[in-house]
């Protein structure tokens, strides 16, 4: 595809967002978090390189034993590892869960902070996780959470060219007015699971195929 003028790319991006809104509406977070910012923070951090379904299967047991930051902060690493063993990178994630809880207790009086700078200081919490926590738990829309689905789809749609999630987010933020940012992550995750599947995209069934330069391209 020839290099697209910025105005045309913005126009295409907005139409993509409008169709996503029509198709998915205000899609909800697939992770179970019981309207508790702490549980959401831990769940999103656990979801890296594993499925939301796998995280949803282990978190009820985690919260049964450690229902809040104070309890998890005092947990034994081996016990947390036993609970999280079925998810990817469980050893490192177990360490981060405990360390995250400890920092929330020691630095934030047991409450999850609600600024980007403070959230990204927590062990295991990067900008993607912070964006989701701010968006879902506090209604603060500061950016777009770029996970593997959003990163892949942004490039499939040729809305971004950068090879890193942070730079991809910045490219998307330049295309979309802030009023469009909130639903993008959850909508694109659903789209990536249902239609724009990584190995076998369903281009013939896709409601964006006429807007996608990658449609039907092997």
């Amino acid at each position: 595809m020839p290099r697209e003028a910025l105005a045309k790319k913005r126009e295409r991006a907005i139409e993509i967002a409008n169709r996503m809104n029509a198709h998915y509406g205000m899609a909800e977070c697939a992770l179970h978090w019981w309207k508790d910012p702490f549980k959401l923070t831990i769940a999103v951090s656990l979801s890296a390189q594993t499925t939301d379904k796998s995280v949803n299967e282990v978190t009820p047991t985690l919260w049964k034993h450690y229902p809040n930051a104070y309890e998890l902060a005092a947990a034994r690493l081996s016990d947390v590892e036993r609970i999280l063993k079925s998810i990817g990178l469980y050893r490192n994630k177990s360490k981060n869960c405990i360390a995250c809880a400890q920092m929330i207790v020691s630095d934030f009086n047991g409450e999850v902070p609600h600024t980007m700078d403070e959230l990204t200081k927590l062990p295991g919490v990067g900008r993607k996780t912070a964006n989701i926590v701010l968006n879902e738990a506090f209604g603060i829309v500061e950016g777009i959470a770029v996970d593997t689905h959003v990163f892949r789809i942004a490039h499939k749609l040729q809305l971004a060219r950068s090879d890193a999630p942070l730079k991809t987010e910045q490219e998307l933020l330049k295309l979309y007015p802030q009023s469009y940012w909130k639903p993008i992550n959850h909508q694109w995750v659903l789209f990536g699971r249902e239609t724009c599947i990584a190995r076998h995209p369903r281009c013939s069934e896709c409601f964006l195929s006429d807007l996608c330069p990658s449609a039907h391209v092997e």
Side-chain angles (χ1 to χ4, degrees):
M1 179 180 178
R3 196 166 191 88
E4 189 176 20
L6 181 58
K8 284 292 184 183
K9 184 181 285 190
R10 281 180 176 152
E11 183 179 324
R12 186 166 61 89
I14 294 296
E15 179 58 24
I16 287 168
N18 290 338
R19 292 191 195 180
M20 287 281 193
N21 287 334
H23 198 83
Y24 293 113
M26 292 303 292
E28 296 182 353
C29 181
L31 292 165
H32 300 160
W33 60 285
W34 298 273
K35 302 303 179 184
D36 182 335
F38 175 65
K39 290 181 172 64
L40 178 62
T41 303
I42 296 298
V44 179
S45 66
L46 290 177
S47 70
Q49 298 185 48
T50 194
T51 65
D52 292 346
K53 180 182 178 182
S54 297
V55 174
N56 289 337
E57 287 172 352
V58 300
T59 48
T61 302
L62 184 68
W63 303 133
K64 180 181 178 181
H65 289 85
Y66 312 106
N68 54 54
Y70 292 93
E71 297 287 342
L72 188 55
R76 290 194 305 182
L77 178 60
S78 59
D79 292 336
V80 176
E81 286 181 343
R82 193 174 304 115
I83 294 169
L84 302 183
K85 193 170 183 179
S86 64
I87 66 173
L89 305 175
Y90 76 93
R91 287 192 174 90
N92 191 53
K93 290 177 181 179
S94 298
K95 291 178 185 176
N96 283 336
C97 281
I98 295 171
C100 179
Q102 290 172 340
M103 182 176 285
I104 288 172
V105 168
S106 64
D107 293 11
F108 302 105
N109 298 314
E111 300 292 332
V112 174
H114 49 272
T115 69
M116 179 64 71
D117 287 345
E118 290 174 326
L119 277 167
T120 52
K121 289 176 182 176
L122 299 174
V125 176
R127 186 173 172 88
K128 181 209 79 172
T129 297
N131 266 321
I132 293 175
V133 171
L134 289 172
N135 191 329
E136 286 291 310
F138 301 112
I140 299 170
V141 182
E142 192 164 321
I144 296 170
V146 176
D147 58 13
T148 54
H149 286 290
V150 174
F151 182 84
R152 178 174 58 80
I153 291 165
H155 287 76
K156 278 279 189 183
L157 292 169
Q158 294 191 22
L159 298 179
R161 296 177 179 271
S162 301
D163 59 359
L166 178 58
K167 291 181 179 179
T168 295
E169 181 189 2
Q170 296 306 313
E171 288 187 83
L172 294 175
L173 296 181
K174 289 177 182 177
L175 289 176
Y176 286 109
Q178 188 171 7
S179 59
Y180 283 83
W181 296 355
K182 182 176 174 63
I184 285 178
N185 177 268
H186 298 329
Q187 290 176 344
W188 289 24
V189 166
L190 288 174
F191 179 65
R193 290 173 178 162
E194 296 176 358
T195 304
C196 194
I197 301 165
R199 293 186 179 179
H200 303 289
R202 297 172 177 170
C203 298
S204 61
E205 305 169 20
C206 181
F207 58 92
L208 298 178
S209 59
D210 60 312
L211 299 171
C212 179
S214 304
H216 307 289
V217 176
E218 295 297 329

